[in-house]
């Protein structure tokens, strides 16, 4: 594995804004709805280019989901955007009954997800949203890792017919995936092949997983790194193929340990290929106010914790 260098840092929410604007330029069925956070979700360019297709609902997320359902029933493709904590937790009933149960073509865009909201504190740092959304029948759950992938994922979500939860974040992170990438919903990306341990990462934890793999290689450990950008549907084949080779797993996510990516991977392995699994995730805690990447380190969501988890997983192999 080559030495990791990335000089390009961008926030994933800007990738959402760019992807939404680009998709709408060639598809006049796309509408954007926002709960008074247009700047935070980088929807300003869409609003400027397509004011007739932009709806500012104010801080009324439940109403926004209802309006989105109506637009979908009229043949439109609505993107309903707000902070992840409010677009999922505050309006779960509306999403469940109006969007998922009816299998409507509504895209739910949750920004400022996870603990990297930082100084906004525990009330805004939702770390259970993946679990909430993946538990809904018909709902696709996407958690891209950088600006380029978020842009590509947004365009792919616009083309997909059915409910989608698209999760992205606030801070600037390494932008390392190709700008011209093909984003296939439900198809994982193999980032580094290895034979000793499989590291399955999503969102902001993908780059630290690559950093961990590079350091492990220096210590004689060959780590396979898989980017699971789509948590539901999960790429079962890619995971099983990798674990059949390595026989142990680390999952890494900016989410609670309960009901996140790690749970989905463990359920898959329990049914088809039992193997040791170590989790890099938040262990049943709310967050707190602080600088984003200091919080990531405090709550065990960084390169060093991934390395430690990989060594534990290897030691547990039969």
């Amino acid at each position: 594995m080559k030495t990791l260098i990335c000089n390009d840092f961008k926030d994933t929410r800007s990738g959402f804004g760019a992807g939404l604007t680009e998709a709408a330029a060639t598809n006049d069925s796309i509408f954007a709805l926002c709960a008074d956070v247009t700047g935070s979700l980088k929807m300003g360019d869409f609003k400027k280019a397509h004011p007739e297709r932009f709806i500012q609902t104010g801080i009324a997320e439940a109403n926004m989901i209802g309006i989105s359902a109506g637009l979908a029933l009229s043949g439109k493709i609505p993107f309903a955007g707000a902070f992840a904590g409010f677009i999922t937790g505050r309006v779960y009933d509306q999403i469940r009954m109006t969007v998922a149960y009816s299998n409507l073509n509504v895209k739910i865009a949750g920004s400022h997800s996870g603990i990297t909201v930082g100084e906004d504190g525990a009330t805004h740092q939702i770390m259970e949203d993946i679990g909430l959304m993946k538990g809904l029948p018909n709902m696709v759950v996407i958690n891209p890792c950088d600006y380029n992938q978020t842009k590509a994922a947004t365009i792919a979500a616009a083309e997909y017919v059915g409910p989608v939860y698209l999760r992205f974040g606030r801070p600037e992170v390494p932008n390392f995936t190709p700008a011209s990438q093909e984003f296939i919903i439900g198809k994982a990306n193999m980032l580094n092949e290895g034979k000793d341990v499989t590291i399955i990462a999503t969102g902001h934890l993908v780059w630290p997983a690559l950093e961990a793999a590079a350091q492990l290689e220096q210590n004689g450990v060959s780590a396979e790194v898989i980017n699971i950008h789509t948590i539901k549907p999960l790429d079962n084949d890619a995971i099983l193929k990798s674990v059949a080779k390595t026989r142990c797993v680390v999952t890494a996510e900016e989410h609670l340990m309960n009901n996140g990516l790690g749970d989905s991977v463990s359920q898959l392995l329990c049914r088809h290929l039992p193997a040791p699994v170590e989790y890099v995730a938040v262990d049943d805690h709310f967050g707190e106010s602080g600088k984003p990447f200091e919080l990531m380190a405090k709550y065990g969501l960084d390169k060093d914790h991934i390395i430690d988890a990989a060594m534990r997983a290897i030691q547990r192999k039969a």
Side-chain angles (χ1 to χ4, degrees):
M1 185 175 183
K2 296 180 180 179
T3 302
L4 289 179
I5 299 175
C6 183
N7 297 317
D8 184 18
F9 287 75
K10 294 181 179 179
D11 49 294
T12 51
R13 56 183 171 148
S14 290
F16 166 72
L20 181 64
T21 303
E22 182 171 319
T26 56
N27 188 339
D28 59 11
S29 293
I30 293 175
F31 277 64
L33 300 87
C34 192
D36 203 26
V37 284
T38 307
S40 295
L41 266 75
K42 306 299 182 179
M43 298 171 86
D45 286 344
F46 181 101
K47 179 181 178 181
K48 182 178 179 180
H50 312 288
E52 74 286 357
R53 289 190 267 149
F54 180 81
I55 301 173
Q56 177 58 265
T57 68
I59 305 174
E61 291 88 352
N63 287 341
M64 182 168 63
I65 293 298
I67 295 167
S68 297
L71 287 167
L73 287 168
S74 302
K76 307 304 181 184
I77 306 172
F79 278 77
F83 285 11
F86 307 136
I87 196 66
T88 60
R90 179 175 290 170
V91 295
Y92 192 72
D93 180 61
Q94 284 76 17
I95 293 172
R96 178 177 181 269
M97 298 303 297
T98 310
V99 176
Y101 178 69
S102 301
N103 199 22
L104 297 183
N105 193 26
V106 174
K107 319 305 173 183
I108 300 163
S111 184
H112 293 57
S113 62
I115 206 164
T116 49
V117 180
E119 292 84 353
D120 287 357
T123 56
H124 287 54
Q125 293 165 348
I126 192 162
M127 293 183 287
E128 60 271 22
D129 55 318
I130 290 174
L132 289 170
M133 293 295 105
K134 78 172 187 175
L136 291 171
N138 299 320
M139 185 67 69
V140 167
V141 179
I142 299 175
N143 187 39
C145 66
D146 66 3
Y147 170 96
N148 286 338
Q149 191 162 81
T150 306
K151 180 180 178 181
T154 304
I155 295 169
E159 296 171 352
Y160 174 85
V161 179
V164 174
Y165 176 54
L166 181 61
R167 183 188 204 244
F168 43 94
R170 178 186 192 179
E172 292 187 350
V173 295
N175 183 38
F176 62 96
T177 65
S180 59
Q181 67 189 274
E182 181 184 16
F183 188 95
I184 302 175
I185 291 174
K187 184 67 173 177
N189 301 136
M190 175 66 70
L191 300 182
N192 189 66
E193 294 190 7
K195 59 182 176 59
D196 295 327
V197 60
T198 298
I199 302 175
I200 299 172
T202 188
H204 288 156
L205 267 292
V206 175
W207 180 258
L210 286 170
E211 292 182 311
Q215 186 165 327
L216 285 165
E217 184 176 329
Q218 293 176 5
N219 296 326
V221 176
S222 174
E224 188 142 289
V225 180
I226 301 175
N227 171 17
I228 296 288
H229 52 65
T230 307
I231 295 171
K232 183 186 174 187
L234 194 66
D235 191 341
N236 295 346
D237 291 342
I239 293 170
L240 292 173
K241 180 179 179 181
S242 178
V243 178
K245 175 174 54 174
T246 66
R247 308 300 299 182
C248 64
V249 181
V250 173
T251 61
E253 58 191 310
E254 188 186 349
H255 191 268
L256 288 181
M257 191 177 297
N258 293 327
N259 212 15
L261 170 65
D263 267 5
S264 293
V265 171
S266 292
Q267 288 179 42
L268 172 66
L269 296 178
C270 283
R271 294 195 304 271
H272 299 285
L273 185 62
V277 180
E278 292 288 337
Y279 298 86
V280 174
V282 177
D283 189 7
D284 202 30
H285 294 288
F286 287 105
E288 62 185 289
S289 181
K291 295 186 181 301
F293 294 101
E294 290 180 0
L295 291 172
M296 292 282 275
K298 177 175 180 177
Y299 285 86
L301 308 179
D302 60 9
K303 173 194 70 173
D304 292 337
H305 285 86
I306 295 173
I307 292 171
D308 291 344
M311 298 311 297
R312 291 196 304 270
I314 291 170
Q315 291 168 7
R316 291 175 56 200
K317 279 199 280 190

